[in-house]
PDB file of all heavy atoms in Angstrom:
ATOM      1  N   HIS A  25       0.811  -1.231   0.011  1.00 94.00           N
ATOM      2  CA  HIS A  25      -0.012   0.004  -0.014  1.00 94.00           C
ATOM      3  C   HIS A  25       0.839   1.246  -0.014  1.00 94.00           C
ATOM      4  O   HIS A  25       0.339   2.462   0.077  1.00 94.00           O
ATOM      5  CB  HIS A  25      -0.906   0.077   1.233  1.00 94.00           C
ATOM      6  CG  HIS A  25      -2.095  -0.877   1.106  1.00 94.00           C
ATOM      7  ND1 HIS A  25      -1.989  -2.304   0.940  1.00 94.00           N
ATOM      8  CD2 HIS A  25      -3.456  -0.657   1.179  1.00 94.00           C
ATOM      9  CE1 HIS A  25      -3.134  -2.812   0.861  1.00 94.00           C
ATOM     10  NE2 HIS A  25      -4.075  -1.821   0.955  1.00 94.00           N
ATOM     11  N   ILE A  26       2.173   1.113  -0.091  1.00 94.00           N
ATOM     12  CA  ILE A  26       3.076   2.243  -0.114  1.00 94.00           C
ATOM     13  C   ILE A  26       3.829   2.272  -1.477  1.00 94.00           C
ATOM     14  O   ILE A  26       4.453   1.240  -1.778  1.00 94.00           O
ATOM     15  CB  ILE A  26       4.097   2.172   1.078  1.00 94.00           C
ATOM     16  CG1 ILE A  26       3.398   2.130   2.426  1.00 94.00           C
ATOM     17  CG2 ILE A  26       5.130   3.445   1.056  1.00 94.00           C
ATOM     18  CD1 ILE A  26       4.262   1.978   3.555  1.00 94.00           C
ATOM     19  N   PHE A  27       3.745   3.418  -2.141  1.00 94.00           N
ATOM     20  CA  PHE A  27       4.314   3.450  -3.559  1.00 94.00           C
ATOM     21  C   PHE A  27       5.311   4.598  -3.551  1.00 94.00           C
ATOM     22  O   PHE A  27       5.227   5.584  -2.806  1.00 94.00           O
ATOM     23  CB  PHE A  27       3.245   3.769  -4.551  1.00 94.00           C
ATOM     24  CG  PHE A  27       2.173   2.649  -4.552  1.00 94.00           C
ATOM     25  CD1 PHE A  27       1.057   2.737  -3.736  1.00 94.00           C
ATOM     26  CD2 PHE A  27       2.282   1.500  -5.347  1.00 94.00           C
ATOM     27  CE1 PHE A  27       0.051   1.815  -3.753  1.00 94.00           C
ATOM     28  CE2 PHE A  27       1.301   0.594  -5.363  1.00 94.00           C
ATOM     29  CZ  PHE A  27       0.223   0.636  -4.535  1.00 94.00           C
ATOM     30  N   SER A  28       6.280   4.476  -4.454  1.00 91.00           N
ATOM     31  CA  SER A  28       7.377   5.485  -4.526  1.00 91.00           C
ATOM     32  C   SER A  28       6.834   6.703  -5.278  1.00 91.00           C
ATOM     33  O   SER A  28       7.266   7.865  -4.888  1.00 91.00           O
ATOM     34  CB  SER A  28       8.556   4.935  -5.311  1.00 91.00           C
ATOM     35  OG  SER A  28       8.154   4.474  -6.600  1.00 91.00           O
ATOM     36  N   ARG A  29       5.977   6.574  -6.270  1.00 90.00           N
ATOM     37  CA  ARG A  29       5.491   7.663  -7.034  1.00 90.00           C
ATOM     38  C   ARG A  29       3.989   7.660  -7.235  1.00 90.00           C
ATOM     39  O   ARG A  29       3.365   6.567  -7.151  1.00 90.00           O
ATOM     40  CB  ARG A  29       6.186   7.687  -8.489  1.00 90.00           C
ATOM     41  CG  ARG A  29       7.726   7.770  -8.348  1.00 90.00           C
ATOM     42  CD  ARG A  29       8.278   7.625  -9.743  1.00 90.00           C
ATOM     43  NE  ARG A  29       7.815   8.556 -10.733  1.00 90.00           N
ATOM     44  CZ  ARG A  29       7.975   8.455 -12.038  1.00 90.00           C
ATOM     45  NH1 ARG A  29       8.643   7.376 -12.552  1.00 90.00           N
ATOM     46  NH2 ARG A  29       7.540   9.353 -12.863  1.00 90.00           N
ATOM     47  N   LYS A  30       3.351   8.798  -7.624  1.00 89.00           N
ATOM     48  CA  LYS A  30       1.909   8.853  -7.869  1.00 89.00           C
ATOM     49  C   LYS A  30       1.590   7.882  -9.000  1.00 89.00           C
ATOM     50  O   LYS A  30       0.576   7.197  -9.012  1.00 89.00           O
ATOM     51  CB  LYS A  30       1.518  10.278  -8.143  1.00 89.00           C
ATOM     52  CG  LYS A  30       1.570  11.191  -6.937  1.00 89.00           C
ATOM     53  CD  LYS A  30       0.921  12.522  -7.201  1.00 89.00           C
ATOM     54  CE  LYS A  30       1.806  13.403  -8.039  1.00 89.00           C
ATOM     55  NZ  LYS A  30       3.068  13.834  -7.349  1.00 89.00           N
ATOM     56  N   GLU A  31       2.371   7.909 -10.082  1.00 89.00           N
ATOM     57  CA  GLU A  31       2.025   7.032 -11.230  1.00 89.00           C
ATOM     58  C   GLU A  31       2.024   5.598 -10.876  1.00 89.00           C
ATOM     59  O   GLU A  31       1.038   4.860 -11.313  1.00 89.00           O
ATOM     60  CB  GLU A  31       3.052   7.281 -12.430  1.00 89.00           C
ATOM     61  CG  GLU A  31       3.035   8.663 -12.990  1.00 89.00           C
ATOM     62  CD  GLU A  31       3.724   9.812 -12.131  1.00 89.00           C
ATOM     63  OE1 GLU A  31       4.317   9.273 -11.149  1.00 89.00           O
ATOM     64  OE2 GLU A  31       3.620  10.909 -12.463  1.00 89.00           O
ATOM     65  N   ASN A  32       2.993   5.100 -10.049  1.00 91.00           N
ATOM     66  CA  ASN A  32       2.893   3.771  -9.636  1.00 91.00           C
ATOM     67  C   ASN A  32       1.770   3.441  -8.804  1.00 91.00           C
ATOM     68  O   ASN A  32       1.181   2.407  -8.766  1.00 91.00           O
ATOM     69  CB  ASN A  32       4.281   3.441  -8.922  1.00 91.00           C
ATOM     70  CG  ASN A  32       5.528   3.569  -9.819  1.00 91.00           C
ATOM     71  OD1 ASN A  32       5.358   3.488 -11.067  1.00 91.00           O
ATOM     72  ND2 ASN A  32       6.670   3.771  -9.252  1.00 91.00           N
ATOM     73  N   ALA A  33       1.403   4.437  -7.915  1.00 93.00           N
ATOM     74  CA  ALA A  33       0.273   4.331  -6.989  1.00 93.00           C
ATOM     75  C   ALA A  33      -1.005   4.138  -7.816  1.00 93.00           C
ATOM     76  O   ALA A  33      -1.821   3.245  -7.474  1.00 93.00           O
ATOM     77  CB  ALA A  33       0.188   5.400  -6.032  1.00 93.00           C
ATOM     78  N   ILE A  34      -1.254   4.934  -8.800  1.00 92.00           N
ATOM     79  CA  ILE A  34      -2.464   4.904  -9.572  1.00 92.00           C
ATOM     80  C   ILE A  34      -2.571   3.556 -10.261  1.00 92.00           C
ATOM     81  O   ILE A  34      -3.652   2.891 -10.310  1.00 92.00           O
ATOM     82  CB  ILE A  34      -2.501   5.990 -10.640  1.00 92.00           C
ATOM     83  CG1 ILE A  34      -2.477   7.357  -9.927  1.00 92.00           C
ATOM     84  CG2 ILE A  34      -3.687   5.902 -11.495  1.00 92.00           C
ATOM     85  CD1 ILE A  34      -3.690   7.605  -9.016  1.00 92.00           C
ATOM     86  N   ALA A  35      -1.454   3.078 -10.841  1.00 91.00           N
ATOM     87  CA  ALA A  35      -1.431   1.817 -11.561  1.00 91.00           C
ATOM     88  C   ALA A  35      -1.762   0.645 -10.552  1.00 91.00           C
ATOM     89  O   ALA A  35      -2.499  -0.301 -10.901  1.00 91.00           O
ATOM     90  CB  ALA A  35      -0.077   1.564 -12.243  1.00 91.00           C
ATOM     91  N   GLY A  36      -1.126   0.719  -9.391  1.00 92.00           N
ATOM     92  CA  GLY A  36      -1.372  -0.388  -8.377  1.00 92.00           C
ATOM     93  C   GLY A  36      -2.829  -0.338  -7.878  1.00 92.00           C
ATOM     94  O   GLY A  36      -3.441  -1.418  -7.606  1.00 92.00           O
ATOM     95  N   ILE A  37      -3.314   0.889  -7.542  1.00 93.00           N
ATOM     96  CA  ILE A  37      -4.658   0.980  -6.941  1.00 93.00           C
ATOM     97  C   ILE A  37      -5.714   0.705  -7.948  1.00 93.00           C
ATOM     98  O   ILE A  37      -6.766   0.116  -7.597  1.00 93.00           O
ATOM     99  CB  ILE A  37      -4.813   2.402  -6.298  1.00 93.00           C
ATOM    100  CG1 ILE A  37      -3.776   2.609  -5.201  1.00 93.00           C
ATOM    101  CG2 ILE A  37      -6.260   2.573  -5.810  1.00 93.00           C
ATOM    102  CD1 ILE A  37      -3.735   4.080  -4.751  1.00 93.00           C
ATOM    103  N   PHE A  38      -5.513   1.018  -9.179  1.00 92.00           N
ATOM    104  CA  PHE A  38      -6.517   0.822 -10.262  1.00 92.00           C
ATOM    105  C   PHE A  38      -6.943  -0.682 -10.287  1.00 92.00           C
ATOM    106  O   PHE A  38      -8.161  -0.908 -10.559  1.00 92.00           O
ATOM    107  CB  PHE A  38      -5.968   1.303 -11.562  1.00 92.00           C
ATOM    108  CG  PHE A  38      -7.055   1.226 -12.708  1.00 92.00           C
ATOM    109  CD1 PHE A  38      -7.935   2.209 -12.818  1.00 92.00           C
ATOM    110  CD2 PHE A  38      -6.995   0.181 -13.532  1.00 92.00           C
ATOM    111  CE1 PHE A  38      -8.835   2.184 -13.812  1.00 92.00           C
ATOM    112  CE2 PHE A  38      -7.893   0.128 -14.584  1.00 92.00           C
ATOM    113  CZ  PHE A  38      -8.866   1.161 -14.692  1.00 92.00           C
ATOM    114  N   GLU A  39      -6.054  -1.526 -10.097  1.00 90.00           N
ATOM    115  CA  GLU A  39      -6.337  -2.938 -10.143  1.00 90.00           C
ATOM    116  C   GLU A  39      -7.301  -3.363  -9.036  1.00 90.00           C
ATOM    117  O   GLU A  39      -7.958  -4.429  -9.132  1.00 90.00           O
ATOM    118  CB  GLU A  39      -5.138  -3.809 -10.202  1.00 90.00           C
ATOM    119  CG  GLU A  39      -4.134  -3.498 -11.282  1.00 90.00           C
ATOM    120  CD  GLU A  39      -4.773  -3.793 -12.684  1.00 90.00           C
ATOM    121  OE1 GLU A  39      -5.670  -4.717 -12.723  1.00 90.00           O
ATOM    122  OE2 GLU A  39      -4.510  -3.061 -13.710  1.00 90.00           O
ATOM    123  N   ARG A  40      -7.386  -2.595  -8.011  1.00 92.00           N
ATOM    124  CA  ARG A  40      -8.198  -2.918  -6.807  1.00 92.00           C
ATOM    125  C   ARG A  40      -9.540  -2.269  -6.844  1.00 92.00           C
ATOM    126  O   ARG A  40     -10.403  -2.491  -5.901  1.00 92.00           O
ATOM    127  CB  ARG A  40      -7.465  -2.550  -5.526  1.00 92.00           C
ATOM    128  CG  ARG A  40      -6.035  -3.126  -5.523  1.00 92.00           C
ATOM    129  CD  ARG A  40      -5.233  -2.674  -4.316  1.00 92.00           C
ATOM    130  NE  ARG A  40      -3.879  -2.963  -4.434  1.00 92.00           N
ATOM    131  CZ  ARG A  40      -2.954  -2.842  -3.490  1.00 92.00           C
ATOM    132  NH1 ARG A  40      -3.253  -2.498  -2.275  1.00 92.00           N
ATOM    133  NH2 ARG A  40      -1.604  -3.167  -3.782  1.00 92.00           N
ATOM    134  N   LEU A  41      -9.816  -1.368  -7.844  1.00 92.00           N
ATOM    135  CA  LEU A  41     -11.135  -0.760  -7.906  1.00 92.00           C
ATOM    136  C   LEU A  41     -12.127  -1.709  -8.485  1.00 92.00           C
ATOM    137  O   LEU A  41     -11.787  -2.645  -9.139  1.00 92.00           O
ATOM    138  CB  LEU A  41     -10.985   0.458  -8.852  1.00 92.00           C
ATOM    139  CG  LEU A  41      -9.924   1.522  -8.441  1.00 92.00           C
ATOM    140  CD1 LEU A  41      -9.993   2.745  -9.378  1.00 92.00           C
ATOM    141  CD2 LEU A  41     -10.199   2.012  -6.995  1.00 92.00           C
ATOM    142  N   GLU A  42     -13.475  -1.368  -8.212  1.00 90.00           N
ATOM    143  CA  GLU A  42     -14.515  -2.174  -8.749  1.00 90.00           C
ATOM    144  C   GLU A  42     -14.640  -2.008 -10.186  1.00 90.00           C
ATOM    145  O   GLU A  42     -14.987  -0.902 -10.673  1.00 90.00           O
ATOM    146  CB  GLU A  42     -15.837  -1.833  -8.035  1.00 90.00           C
ATOM    147  CG  GLU A  42     -15.804  -2.161  -6.476  1.00 90.00           C
ATOM    148  CD  GLU A  42     -17.112  -1.866  -5.880  1.00 90.00           C
ATOM    149  OE1 GLU A  42     -18.164  -1.996  -6.535  1.00 90.00           O
ATOM    150  OE2 GLU A  42     -17.131  -1.584  -4.687  1.00 90.00           O
ATOM    151  N   ARG A  43     -14.436  -3.005 -10.940  1.00 89.00           N
ATOM    152  CA  ARG A  43     -14.409  -2.939 -12.484  1.00 89.00           C
ATOM    153  C   ARG A  43     -15.831  -2.480 -13.036  1.00 89.00           C
ATOM    154  O   ARG A  43     -15.833  -1.817 -13.971  1.00 89.00           O
ATOM    155  CB  ARG A  43     -13.939  -4.304 -13.002  1.00 89.00           C
ATOM    156  CG  ARG A  43     -13.689  -4.204 -14.609  1.00 89.00           C
ATOM    157  CD  ARG A  43     -12.723  -3.047 -15.009  1.00 89.00           C
ATOM    158  NE  ARG A  43     -11.473  -3.167 -14.223  1.00 89.00           N
ATOM    159  CZ  ARG A  43     -10.419  -3.821 -14.673  1.00 89.00           C
ATOM    160  NH1 ARG A  43     -10.432  -4.393 -15.820  1.00 89.00           N
ATOM    161  NH2 ARG A  43      -9.289  -3.810 -13.957  1.00 89.00           N
ATOM    162  N   GLU A  44     -16.806  -3.058 -12.370  1.00 87.00           N
ATOM    163  CA  GLU A  44     -18.101  -2.705 -12.920  1.00 87.00           C
ATOM    164  C   GLU A  44     -18.441  -1.163 -12.887  1.00 87.00           C
ATOM    165  O   GLU A  44     -18.986  -0.579 -13.803  1.00 87.00           O
ATOM    166  CB  GLU A  44     -19.212  -3.423 -12.068  1.00 87.00           C
ATOM    167  CG  GLU A  44     -20.623  -3.214 -12.632  1.00 87.00           C
ATOM    168  CD  GLU A  44     -21.653  -4.034 -11.834  1.00 87.00           C
ATOM    169  OE1 GLU A  44     -21.256  -4.836 -11.022  1.00 87.00           O
ATOM    170  OE2 GLU A  44     -22.867  -3.776 -12.042  1.00 87.00           O
ATOM    171  N   ILE A  45     -17.879  -0.504 -11.827  1.00 88.00           N
ATOM    172  CA  ILE A  45     -18.137   0.914 -11.804  1.00 88.00           C
ATOM    173  C   ILE A  45     -17.170   1.592 -12.739  1.00 88.00           C
ATOM    174  O   ILE A  45     -17.655   2.632 -13.400  1.00 88.00           O
ATOM    175  CB  ILE A  45     -17.768   1.447 -10.333  1.00 88.00           C
ATOM    176  CG1 ILE A  45     -18.725   0.855  -9.285  1.00 88.00           C
ATOM    177  CG2 ILE A  45     -17.781   2.936 -10.219  1.00 88.00           C
ATOM    178  CD1 ILE A  45     -18.430   1.323  -7.893  1.00 88.00           C
ATOM    179  N   CYS A  46     -16.027   1.073 -12.952  1.00 89.00           N
ATOM    180  CA  CYS A  46     -15.115   1.671 -14.010  1.00 89.00           C
ATOM    181  C   CYS A  46     -15.702   1.588 -15.353  1.00 89.00           C
ATOM    182  O   CYS A  46     -15.556   2.525 -16.154  1.00 89.00           O
ATOM    183  CB  CYS A  46     -13.750   0.938 -13.930  1.00 89.00           C
ATOM    184  SG  CYS A  46     -12.851   1.287 -12.443  1.00 89.00           S
ATOM    185  N   GLU A  47     -16.416   0.434 -15.660  1.00 86.00           N
ATOM    186  CA  GLU A  47     -16.973   0.253 -17.043  1.00 86.00           C
ATOM    187  C   GLU A  47     -18.075   1.286 -17.284  1.00 86.00           C
ATOM    188  O   GLU A  47     -18.285   1.729 -18.441  1.00 86.00           O
ATOM    189  CB  GLU A  47     -17.516  -1.133 -17.187  1.00 86.00           C
ATOM    190  CG  GLU A  47     -16.413  -2.174 -17.239  1.00 86.00           C
ATOM    191  CD  GLU A  47     -16.922  -3.592 -17.201  1.00 86.00           C
ATOM    192  OE1 GLU A  47     -18.171  -3.745 -17.120  1.00 86.00           O
ATOM    193  OE2 GLU A  47     -16.176  -4.501 -17.363  1.00 86.00           O
ATOM    194  N   ARG A  48     -18.893   1.626 -16.253  1.00 87.00           N
ATOM    195  CA  ARG A  48     -19.951   2.584 -16.421  1.00 87.00           C
ATOM    196  C   ARG A  48     -19.466   4.057 -16.240  1.00 87.00           C
ATOM    197  O   ARG A  48     -20.301   4.951 -16.590  1.00 87.00           O
ATOM    198  CB  ARG A  48     -21.042   2.311 -15.420  1.00 87.00           C
ATOM    199  CG  ARG A  48     -21.748   0.999 -15.593  1.00 87.00           C
ATOM    200  CD  ARG A  48     -22.990   0.881 -14.690  1.00 87.00           C
ATOM    201  NE  ARG A  48     -23.780  -0.367 -14.967  1.00 87.00           N
ATOM    202  CZ  ARG A  48     -23.484  -1.456 -14.206  1.00 87.00           C
ATOM    203  NH1 ARG A  48     -22.610  -1.463 -13.256  1.00 87.00           N
ATOM    204  NH2 ARG A  48     -24.323  -2.610 -14.494  1.00 87.00           N
ATOM    205  N   CYS A  49     -18.274   4.253 -15.810  1.00 87.00           N
ATOM    206  CA  CYS A  49     -17.746   5.622 -15.512  1.00 87.00           C
ATOM    207  C   CYS A  49     -17.398   6.380 -16.827  1.00 87.00           C
ATOM    208  O   CYS A  49     -16.821   5.833 -17.756  1.00 87.00           O
ATOM    209  CB  CYS A  49     -16.533   5.557 -14.595  1.00 87.00           C
ATOM    210  SG  CYS A  49     -15.806   7.103 -14.233  1.00 87.00           S
ATOM    211  N   THR A  50     -17.805   7.632 -16.798  1.00 85.00           N
ATOM    212  CA  THR A  50     -17.486   8.550 -18.066  1.00 85.00           C
ATOM    213  C   THR A  50     -16.246   9.433 -17.774  1.00 85.00           C
ATOM    214  O   THR A  50     -15.920  10.179 -18.687  1.00 85.00           O
ATOM    215  CB  THR A  50     -18.782   9.310 -18.404  1.00 85.00           C
ATOM    216  OG1 THR A  50     -19.100  10.172 -17.288  1.00 85.00           O
ATOM    217  CG2 THR A  50     -19.862   8.423 -18.755  1.00 85.00           C
TER     218      THR A  50
END
C-alpha cells in the first residue's frame, strides 16, 4: 500500500477498484 511515485500508485490501486463501476464511469 506504499508506492514510490503517484504514477505507480495509480497503476497499483486501479487494479483494486470495482471494475463494474469503472466500465460505467465516463
Side-chain angles (χ1 to χ4, degrees):
H25 284 56
I26 302 177
F27 302 90
S28 58
R29 300 171 57 193
K30 287 188 287 291
E31 294 77 7
N32 297 337
I34 297 300
I37 299 171
F38 185 79
E39 301 299 327
R40 310 177 193 190
L41 302 181
E42 295 185 29
R43 188 55 54 91
E44 184 177 350
I45 296 179
C46 292
E47 292 174 351
R48 294 189 176 93
C49 178
T50 59

